[in-house]
PDB file of all heavy atoms in Angstrom:
ATOM      1  N   GLY A   6      -9.401  64.544  92.448  1.00 82.00           N
ATOM      2  CA  GLY A   6      -9.365  63.194  91.979  1.00 82.00           C
ATOM      3  C   GLY A   6      -9.357  62.128  93.041  1.00 82.00           C
ATOM      4  O   GLY A   6      -8.904  61.020  92.850  1.00 82.00           O
ATOM      5  N   VAL A   7      -9.813  62.528  94.232  1.00 85.00           N
ATOM      6  CA  VAL A   7      -9.836  61.580  95.329  1.00 85.00           C
ATOM      7  C   VAL A   7     -11.200  60.854  95.318  1.00 85.00           C
ATOM      8  O   VAL A   7     -12.213  61.350  95.791  1.00 85.00           O
ATOM      9  CB  VAL A   7      -9.719  62.314  96.711  1.00 85.00           C
ATOM     10  CG1 VAL A   7      -9.708  61.331  97.874  1.00 85.00           C
ATOM     11  CG2 VAL A   7      -8.391  63.106  96.683  1.00 85.00           C
ATOM     12  N   GLY A   8     -11.231  59.653  94.801  1.00 79.00           N
ATOM     13  CA  GLY A   8     -12.481  58.936  94.633  1.00 79.00           C
ATOM     14  C   GLY A   8     -13.045  59.115  93.276  1.00 79.00           C
ATOM     15  O   GLY A   8     -12.534  59.882  92.436  1.00 79.00           O
ATOM     16  N   SER A   9     -14.124  58.437  92.963  1.00 81.00           N
ATOM     17  CA  SER A   9     -14.729  58.461  91.623  1.00 81.00           C
ATOM     18  C   SER A   9     -15.990  59.350  91.723  1.00 81.00           C
ATOM     19  O   SER A   9     -16.512  59.696  92.742  1.00 81.00           O
ATOM     20  CB  SER A   9     -15.089  57.072  91.217  1.00 81.00           C
ATOM     21  OG  SER A   9     -16.059  56.457  92.162  1.00 81.00           O
ATOM     22  N   GLY A  10     -16.401  59.728  90.538  1.00 83.00           N
ATOM     23  CA  GLY A  10     -17.596  60.544  90.375  1.00 83.00           C
ATOM     24  C   GLY A  10     -17.371  62.028  90.572  1.00 83.00           C
ATOM     25  O   GLY A  10     -16.213  62.450  90.750  1.00 83.00           O
ATOM     26  N   TYR A  11     -18.434  62.778  90.506  1.00 86.00           N
ATOM     27  CA  TYR A  11     -18.282  64.276  90.535  1.00 86.00           C
ATOM     28  C   TYR A  11     -17.729  64.785  91.851  1.00 86.00           C
ATOM     29  O   TYR A  11     -16.904  65.690  91.925  1.00 86.00           O
ATOM     30  CB  TYR A  11     -19.668  64.861  90.247  1.00 86.00           C
ATOM     31  CG  TYR A  11     -19.688  66.382  90.196  1.00 86.00           C
ATOM     32  CD1 TYR A  11     -19.284  67.032  89.034  1.00 86.00           C
ATOM     33  CD2 TYR A  11     -20.114  67.159  91.276  1.00 86.00           C
ATOM     34  CE1 TYR A  11     -19.241  68.433  88.987  1.00 86.00           C
ATOM     35  CE2 TYR A  11     -20.115  68.572  91.222  1.00 86.00           C
ATOM     36  CZ  TYR A  11     -19.698  69.142  90.074  1.00 86.00           C
ATOM     37  OH  TYR A  11     -19.720  70.529  90.008  1.00 86.00           O
ATOM     38  N   TYR A  12     -18.188  64.163  92.973  1.00 88.00           N
ATOM     39  CA  TYR A  12     -17.822  64.636  94.280  1.00 88.00           C
ATOM     40  C   TYR A  12     -16.669  63.777  94.918  1.00 88.00           C
ATOM     41  O   TYR A  12     -16.175  64.147  96.002  1.00 88.00           O
ATOM     42  CB  TYR A  12     -18.991  64.604  95.268  1.00 88.00           C
ATOM     43  CG  TYR A  12     -19.945  65.741  95.010  1.00 88.00           C
ATOM     44  CD1 TYR A  12     -21.089  65.544  94.237  1.00 88.00           C
ATOM     45  CD2 TYR A  12     -19.678  67.006  95.535  1.00 88.00           C
ATOM     46  CE1 TYR A  12     -22.021  66.591  94.049  1.00 88.00           C
ATOM     47  CE2 TYR A  12     -20.581  68.061  95.340  1.00 88.00           C
ATOM     48  CZ  TYR A  12     -21.744  67.838  94.569  1.00 88.00           C
ATOM     49  OH  TYR A  12     -22.631  68.862  94.342  1.00 88.00           O
ATOM     50  N   GLY A  13     -16.231  62.749  94.241  1.00 86.00           N
ATOM     51  CA  GLY A  13     -15.221  61.869  94.849  1.00 86.00           C
ATOM     52  C   GLY A  13     -15.945  60.986  95.913  1.00 86.00           C
ATOM     53  O   GLY A  13     -17.116  60.672  95.719  1.00 86.00           O
ATOM     54  N   PHE A  14     -15.268  60.572  96.921  1.00 84.00           N
ATOM     55  CA  PHE A  14     -15.870  59.640  97.827  1.00 84.00           C
ATOM     56  C   PHE A  14     -16.689  60.292  98.901  1.00 84.00           C
ATOM     57  O   PHE A  14     -17.355  59.632  99.689  1.00 84.00           O
ATOM     58  CB  PHE A  14     -14.750  58.744  98.494  1.00 84.00           C
ATOM     59  CG  PHE A  14     -13.977  59.391  99.572  1.00 84.00           C
ATOM     60  CD1 PHE A  14     -14.440  59.344 100.900  1.00 84.00           C
ATOM     61  CD2 PHE A  14     -12.837  60.108  99.280  1.00 84.00           C
ATOM     62  CE1 PHE A  14     -13.705  59.909 101.923  1.00 84.00           C
ATOM     63  CE2 PHE A  14     -12.085  60.748 100.302  1.00 84.00           C
ATOM     64  CZ  PHE A  14     -12.566  60.607 101.632  1.00 84.00           C
ATOM     65  N   LEU A  15     -16.689  61.650  98.976  1.00 88.00           N
ATOM     66  CA  LEU A  15     -17.493  62.340  99.983  1.00 88.00           C
ATOM     67  C   LEU A  15     -17.982  63.665  99.413  1.00 88.00           C
ATOM     68  O   LEU A  15     -17.143  64.377  98.797  1.00 88.00           O
ATOM     69  CB  LEU A  15     -16.643  62.600 101.223  1.00 88.00           C
ATOM     70  CG  LEU A  15     -17.335  62.982 102.549  1.00 88.00           C
ATOM     71  CD1 LEU A  15     -18.275  61.823 102.984  1.00 88.00           C
ATOM     72  CD2 LEU A  15     -16.309  63.316 103.607  1.00 88.00           C
ATOM     73  N   PRO A  16     -19.270  64.001  99.576  1.00 92.00           N
ATOM     74  CA  PRO A  16     -19.784  65.260  98.987  1.00 92.00           C
ATOM     75  C   PRO A  16     -19.358  66.501  99.750  1.00 92.00           C
ATOM     76  O   PRO A  16     -20.132  66.974 100.610  1.00 92.00           O
ATOM     77  CB  PRO A  16     -21.332  65.017  98.988  1.00 92.00           C
ATOM     78  CG  PRO A  16     -21.530  64.110 100.182  1.00 92.00           C
ATOM     79  CD  PRO A  16     -20.321  63.172 100.177  1.00 92.00           C
ATOM     80  N   ILE A  17     -18.172  66.958  99.469  1.00 94.00           N
ATOM     81  CA  ILE A  17     -17.648  68.188 100.055  1.00 94.00           C
ATOM     82  C   ILE A  17     -17.430  69.278  99.012  1.00 94.00           C
ATOM     83  O   ILE A  17     -16.878  68.986  97.966  1.00 94.00           O
ATOM     84  CB  ILE A  17     -16.321  67.907 100.776  1.00 94.00           C
ATOM     85  CG1 ILE A  17     -16.506  66.885 101.901  1.00 94.00           C
ATOM     86  CG2 ILE A  17     -15.715  69.220 101.386  1.00 94.00           C
ATOM     87  CD1 ILE A  17     -15.184  66.545 102.579  1.00 94.00           C
ATOM     88  N   GLU A  18     -17.938  70.430  99.258  1.00 96.00           N
ATOM     89  CA  GLU A  18     -17.785  71.552  98.314  1.00 96.00           C
ATOM     90  C   GLU A  18     -17.026  72.682  98.895  1.00 96.00           C
ATOM     91  O   GLU A  18     -17.194  73.020 100.061  1.00 96.00           O
ATOM     92  CB  GLU A  18     -19.207  72.102  97.918  1.00 96.00           C
ATOM     93  CG  GLU A  18     -19.217  73.241  96.880  1.00 96.00           C
ATOM     94  CD  GLU A  18     -20.600  73.618  96.529  1.00 96.00           C
ATOM     95  OE1 GLU A  18     -21.263  74.181  97.352  1.00 96.00           O
ATOM     96  OE2 GLU A  18     -20.996  73.294  95.391  1.00 96.00           O
ATOM     97  N   PHE A  19     -16.116  73.209  98.097  1.00 97.00           N
ATOM     98  CA  PHE A  19     -15.291  74.362  98.536  1.00 97.00           C
ATOM     99  C   PHE A  19     -15.738  75.558  97.692  1.00 97.00           C
ATOM    100  O   PHE A  19     -16.009  75.436  96.496  1.00 97.00           O
ATOM    101  CB  PHE A  19     -13.765  74.059  98.320  1.00 97.00           C
ATOM    102  CG  PHE A  19     -12.902  75.247  98.754  1.00 97.00           C
ATOM    103  CD1 PHE A  19     -12.577  75.417 100.105  1.00 97.00           C
ATOM    104  CD2 PHE A  19     -12.428  76.134  97.767  1.00 97.00           C
ATOM    105  CE1 PHE A  19     -11.741  76.439 100.467  1.00 97.00           C
ATOM    106  CE2 PHE A  19     -11.611  77.234  98.137  1.00 97.00           C
ATOM    107  CZ  PHE A  19     -11.278  77.339  99.499  1.00 97.00           C
ATOM    108  N   ALA A  20     -15.763  76.735  98.313  1.00 97.00           N
ATOM    109  CA  ALA A  20     -16.251  77.946  97.613  1.00 97.00           C
ATOM    110  C   ALA A  20     -15.472  79.182  98.049  1.00 97.00           C
ATOM    111  O   ALA A  20     -15.150  79.346  99.258  1.00 97.00           O
ATOM    112  CB  ALA A  20     -17.730  78.165  97.801  1.00 97.00           C
ATOM    113  N   LEU A  21     -15.144  80.031  97.100  1.00 98.00           N
ATOM    114  CA  LEU A  21     -14.713  81.408  97.383  1.00 98.00           C
ATOM    115  C   LEU A  21     -15.811  82.322  97.100  1.00 98.00           C
ATOM    116  O   LEU A  21     -16.500  82.197  96.060  1.00 98.00           O
ATOM    117  CB  LEU A  21     -13.494  81.711  96.481  1.00 98.00           C
ATOM    118  CG  LEU A  21     -12.259  80.819  96.683  1.00 98.00           C
ATOM    119  CD1 LEU A  21     -11.185  81.175  95.621  1.00 98.00           C
ATOM    120  CD2 LEU A  21     -11.705  80.990  98.065  1.00 98.00           C
ATOM    121  N   PHE A  22     -16.095  83.295  97.942  1.00 98.00           N
ATOM    122  CA  PHE A  22     -17.271  84.093  97.803  1.00 98.00           C
ATOM    123  C   PHE A  22     -17.060  85.582  98.101  1.00 98.00           C
ATOM    124  O   PHE A  22     -16.084  85.980  98.732  1.00 98.00           O
ATOM    125  CB  PHE A  22     -18.425  83.573  98.705  1.00 98.00           C
ATOM    126  CG  PHE A  22     -18.112  83.669 100.207  1.00 98.00           C
ATOM    127  CD1 PHE A  22     -18.363  84.890 100.842  1.00 98.00           C
ATOM    128  CD2 PHE A  22     -17.621  82.562 100.892  1.00 98.00           C
ATOM    129  CE1 PHE A  22     -18.073  85.022 102.192  1.00 98.00           C
ATOM    130  CE2 PHE A  22     -17.295  82.707 102.285  1.00 98.00           C
ATOM    131  CZ  PHE A  22     -17.560  83.873 102.933  1.00 98.00           C
ATOM    132  N   ALA A  23     -17.960  86.368  97.603  1.00 98.00           N
ATOM    133  CA  ALA A  23     -18.015  87.798  97.951  1.00 98.00           C
ATOM    134  C   ALA A  23     -19.491  88.164  98.094  1.00 98.00           C
ATOM    135  O   ALA A  23     -20.352  87.815  97.241  1.00 98.00           O
ATOM    136  CB  ALA A  23     -17.358  88.680  96.821  1.00 98.00           C
ATOM    137  N   ASP A  24     -19.819  88.853  99.187  1.00 98.00           N
ATOM    138  CA  ASP A  24     -21.218  89.255  99.499  1.00 98.00           C
ATOM    139  C   ASP A  24     -21.301  90.772  99.640  1.00 98.00           C
ATOM    140  O   ASP A  24     -20.360  91.398 100.123  1.00 98.00           O
ATOM    141  CB  ASP A  24     -21.696  88.608 100.819  1.00 98.00           C
ATOM    142  CG  ASP A  24     -21.765  87.054 100.707  1.00 98.00           C
ATOM    143  OD1 ASP A  24     -21.804  86.532  99.633  1.00 98.00           O
ATOM    144  OD2 ASP A  24     -21.707  86.426 101.803  1.00 98.00           O
ATOM    145  N   ALA A  25     -22.435  91.260  99.305  1.00 98.00           N
ATOM    146  CA  ALA A  25     -22.769  92.695  99.556  1.00 98.00           C
ATOM    147  C   ALA A  25     -24.197  92.811  99.840  1.00 98.00           C
ATOM    148  O   ALA A  25     -25.000  92.157  99.267  1.00 98.00           O
ATOM    149  CB  ALA A  25     -22.341  93.565  98.317  1.00 98.00           C
ATOM    150  N   GLY A  26     -24.496  93.726 100.818  1.00 97.00           N
ATOM    151  CA  GLY A  26     -25.966  93.854 101.167  1.00 97.00           C
ATOM    152  C   GLY A  26     -26.213  95.198 101.798  1.00 97.00           C
ATOM    153  O   GLY A  26     -25.327  95.898 102.363  1.00 97.00           O
ATOM    154  N   LEU A  27     -27.496  95.604 101.769  1.00 97.00           N
ATOM    155  CA  LEU A  27     -27.947  96.836 102.301  1.00 97.00           C
ATOM    156  C   LEU A  27     -29.305  96.650 102.918  1.00 97.00           C
ATOM    157  O   LEU A  27     -30.178  96.033 102.380  1.00 97.00           O
ATOM    158  CB  LEU A  27     -28.044  97.922 101.162  1.00 97.00           C
ATOM    159  CG  LEU A  27     -28.621  99.251 101.588  1.00 97.00           C
ATOM    160  CD1 LEU A  27     -27.730  99.999 102.535  1.00 97.00           C
ATOM    161  CD2 LEU A  27     -28.855 100.079 100.319  1.00 97.00           C
ATOM    162  N   ALA A  28     -29.446  97.134 104.170  1.00 95.00           N
ATOM    163  CA  ALA A  28     -30.727  97.186 104.890  1.00 95.00           C
ATOM    164  C   ALA A  28     -31.139  98.641 105.091  1.00 95.00           C
ATOM    165  O   ALA A  28     -30.299  99.418 105.518  1.00 95.00           O
ATOM    166  CB  ALA A  28     -30.650  96.453 106.234  1.00 95.00           C
ATOM    167  N   TRP A  29     -32.380  99.004 104.801  1.00 94.00           N
ATOM    168  CA  TRP A  29     -32.794 100.373 104.982  1.00 94.00           C
ATOM    169  C   TRP A  29     -34.259 100.422 105.312  1.00 94.00           C
ATOM    170  O   TRP A  29     -34.998  99.441 105.298  1.00 94.00           O
ATOM    171  CB  TRP A  29     -32.421 101.196 103.760  1.00 94.00           C
ATOM    172  CG  TRP A  29     -33.287 101.018 102.550  1.00 94.00           C
ATOM    173  CD1 TRP A  29     -34.360 101.799 102.157  1.00 94.00           C
ATOM    174  CD2 TRP A  29     -33.196 100.016 101.533  1.00 94.00           C
ATOM    175  NE1 TRP A  29     -34.901 101.341 101.028  1.00 94.00           N
ATOM    176  CE2 TRP A  29     -34.148 100.259 100.634  1.00 94.00           C
ATOM    177  CE3 TRP A  29     -32.351  98.920 101.331  1.00 94.00           C
ATOM    178  CZ2 TRP A  29     -34.392  99.481  99.465  1.00 94.00           C
ATOM    179  CZ3 TRP A  29     -32.489  98.170 100.234  1.00 94.00           C
ATOM    180  CH2 TRP A  29     -33.514  98.369  99.299  1.00 94.00           C
ATOM    181  N   CYS A  30     -34.720 101.632 105.595  1.00 90.00           N
ATOM    182  CA  CYS A  30     -36.139 101.945 105.958  1.00 90.00           C
ATOM    183  C   CYS A  30     -36.662 102.965 104.987  1.00 90.00           C
ATOM    184  O   CYS A  30     -35.923 103.666 104.384  1.00 90.00           O
ATOM    185  CB  CYS A  30     -36.245 102.364 107.396  1.00 90.00           C
ATOM    186  SG  CYS A  30     -35.454 101.270 108.592  1.00 90.00           S
TER     187      CYS A  30
END
């Protein structure tokens, strides 16, 4: 709720993530 609008007064996004990947031949 810091500022108005969807992003507030500054477009900052926070994310929690999980990644998985595989490289092969």
Side-chain angles (χ1 to χ4, degrees):
V7 181
S9 60
Y11 183 79
Y12 285 97
F14 76 91
L15 196 63
I17 299 177
E18 181 177 71
F19 180 82
L21 299 174
F22 64 83
D24 298 337
L27 174 66
W29 76 96
C30 308

